[in-house]
Amino acid sequence: MPEEHLQPLQVKVEVRTGRSEPRKSGSTRWKLYRAIAKAVKGEQIVDCPERFLLDGRPELDTNIAHVIENIAAPALFAKQMLSKRLGQDIDIHVILRKRAPSLAKEVFETLGIPVIYTDDRVYGDLVSVSAFRANDNQPVEDPKFSLIINDEAVSSVDAKLYNLHATLFNDAGFSGHEPLEVEKIFIPRRGKRNLLNNDEVEKFLAEKGFKTYYFEDLTCSQKWSITRDVKVVVAVHGAALSHLVFNRVGLQNPALPHSGVKVVELYSPGWASRWAHRRQITGINGQWCGVRGQVTPKLLNDIDFSNLPPEAFRPSYHDPFTVDCKSIQMALDYLGA
């Protein structure tokens, strides 16, 4: 694929005093819980005077990538901009649902971002962050800003703070950081989309100096300590790659494009997205190359007979897959890694 270049990003932070509503989307189980809670307690309003509030409840808080990129990143940016504007250090309080998953809680605790857990309405100074990046359909002369936190299942790739991630997350710091001298890592995964030939790939990469980490076994501080200074990453496509927002290698020479971390992303042959984590890596001044898994008869059946549009995920998207080590070597050679 050709080199990826991100257009300049425009970001807008707005503050209004008012009321934030509970999230409307969710599973049937959550909606039932919400209905029972409303019937028992009635309509409640959490009053938060003199606090800046960023409501993250519309976002998908069960996916670490959404939590980091779509909630934590705008919270850090809003804190930075409002502190500068007001001439004093301020806090942004993130609002999450009362039964937010432990992984989401850990992210904000490790970053030191205060959180209000509630399913009720919240009153205070509400902060919103929206972004615009020019493209063929939206020229810079006619900017149309998109809210980063919204009710869409998948946020627009042009409404993410990719260009700012490395600076934001490295300026913020995090608790429990331990300097690690790990230059090359392999991030496999268990369960859905795992590699059928994982042992072969792990052995192949170990011989090249790669150390294997299953990120689902690590705390946030451990993952961020690993990704902060790593120089080469081979990883199976998944949310684990979002932890690379903490990588600071690309900040050492920002004027030299693609001088940061080099990433080989292994993804299912059923994956239909053009982007994967390509734009995220470009945003931290890194360099990316994708390696698609081997096509199977089942996938061909999904493509030819599923009656799905070309951009839709195929039913076999979550299936385990095999990747050729020669293809990984070609990707590493392309990146000069």
Side-chain angles (χ1 to χ4, degrees):
M1 298 181 76
E3 296 286 353
E4 175 72 7
H5 298 281
L6 292 179
Q7 295 294 328
L9 185 69
Q10 299 181 43
V11 186
K12 182 164 56 176
V13 178
E14 298 177 291
V15 181
R16 67 176 178 86
T17 300
R19 188 176 65 189
S20 182
E21 299 293 327
R23 70 173 187 159
K24 299 175 182 177
S25 59
S27 64
T28 302
R29 181 178 178 182
W30 182 87
K31 290 176 180 177
L32 179 61
Y33 159 78
R34 177 70 186 139
I36 293 173
K38 183 177 178 181
V40 172
K41 298 192 306 179
E43 291 287 357
Q44 303 287 321
I45 298 179
V46 179
D47 193 9
C48 298
E50 301 181 4
R51 287 188 188 179
F52 290 106
L53 309 171
L54 182 76
D55 197 342
R57 291 177 294 183
E59 260 301 336
L60 183 65
D61 60 8
T62 55
N63 185 305
I64 189 66
H66 286 249
V67 173
I68 291 175
E69 296 176 11
N70 299 347
I71 307 178
L76 291 173
F77 182 78
K79 173 182 172 65
Q80 189 180 90
M81 292 298 101
L82 290 175
S83 294
K84 185 182 297 185
R85 185 65 177 267
L86 298 174
Q88 59 179 329
D89 190 35
I90 61 99
D91 280 323
I92 300 291
H93 288 72
V94 170
I95 306 172
L96 295 180
R97 59 190 174 110
K98 190 173 183 179
R99 305 169 90 180
S102 58
L103 189 57
K105 294 179 180 179
E106 185 187 355
V107 167
F108 295 103
E109 289 172 2
T110 309
L111 285 171
I113 298 175
V115 178
I116 298 169
Y117 297 99
T118 181
D119 295 323
D120 296 319
R121 294 170 172 155
V122 183
Y123 184 87
D125 293 326
L126 304 176
V127 177
S128 63
V129 181
S130 52
F132 166 76
R133 183 181 284 109
N135 56 43
D136 293 339
N137 298 320
Q138 294 189 30
V140 68
E141 297 80 13
D142 184 28
K144 292 182 174 59
F145 286 84
S146 300
L147 286 170
I148 296 176
I149 299 177
N150 54 57
D151 292 314
E152 298 295 328
V154 179
S155 299
S156 166
V157 293
D158 286 318
K160 289 178 177 283
L161 303 178
Y162 290 136
N163 312 54
L164 307 174
H165 280 164
T167 302
L168 280 176
F169 285 98
N170 279 286
D171 285 350
F174 58 89
S175 62
H177 173 247
E178 47 184 311
L180 297 172
E181 296 181 1
V182 183
E183 292 196 353
K184 298 180 179 180
I185 64 172
F186 170 46
I187 309 175
R189 59 180 290 152
R190 302 187 182 94
K192 295 179 180 177
R193 301 198 307 276
N194 67 307
L195 293 179
L196 290 170
N197 62 331
N198 189 81
D199 291 345
E200 177 192 0
V201 172
E202 185 173 340
K203 182 176 182 294
F204 169 77
L205 291 172
E207 292 172 352
K208 298 180 178 299
F210 283 78
K211 189 170 183 179
T212 297
Y213 290 98
Y214 282 90
F215 270 30
E216 53 260 59
D217 296 338
L218 306 177
T219 65
C220 282
S221 60
Q222 289 172 327
K223 287 179 275 197
W224 300 343
S225 295
I226 291 168
T227 58
R228 200 162 202 184
D229 295 301
V230 70
K231 295 180 180 177
V232 186
V233 178
V234 176
V236 178
H237 168 77
L241 278 164
S242 293
H243 296 288
L244 285 172
V245 297
F246 287 89
N247 187 271
R248 57 188 177 186
V249 177
L251 296 176
Q252 296 171 6
N253 194 355
L256 182 61
H258 310 298
S259 60
V261 62
K262 299 179 185 299
V263 177
V264 176
E265 184 172 1
L266 314 177
Y267 53 102
S268 163
W271 174 252
S273 171
R274 172 186 173 189
W275 304 116
H277 285 269
R278 183 176 173 216
R279 281 197 164 187
Q280 176 202 345
I281 303 307
T282 301
I284 59 175
N285 199 26
Q287 191 176 15
W288 177 93
C289 185
V291 173
R292 190 180 293 276
Q294 294 176 358
V295 176
T296 63
K298 181 180 179 182
L299 174 65
L300 292 176
N301 184 70
D302 287 346
I303 294 173
D304 293 335
F305 303 107
S306 66
N307 296 319
L308 292 172
E311 69 276 5
F313 292 142
R314 315 332 272 180
S316 57
Y317 161 61
H318 286 301
D319 290 351
F321 62 97
T322 300
V323 67
D324 189 345
C325 289
K326 291 180 181 178
S327 297
I328 298 176
Q329 184 61 61
M330 291 173 64
L332 292 171
D333 291 343
Y334 167 75
L335 297 175

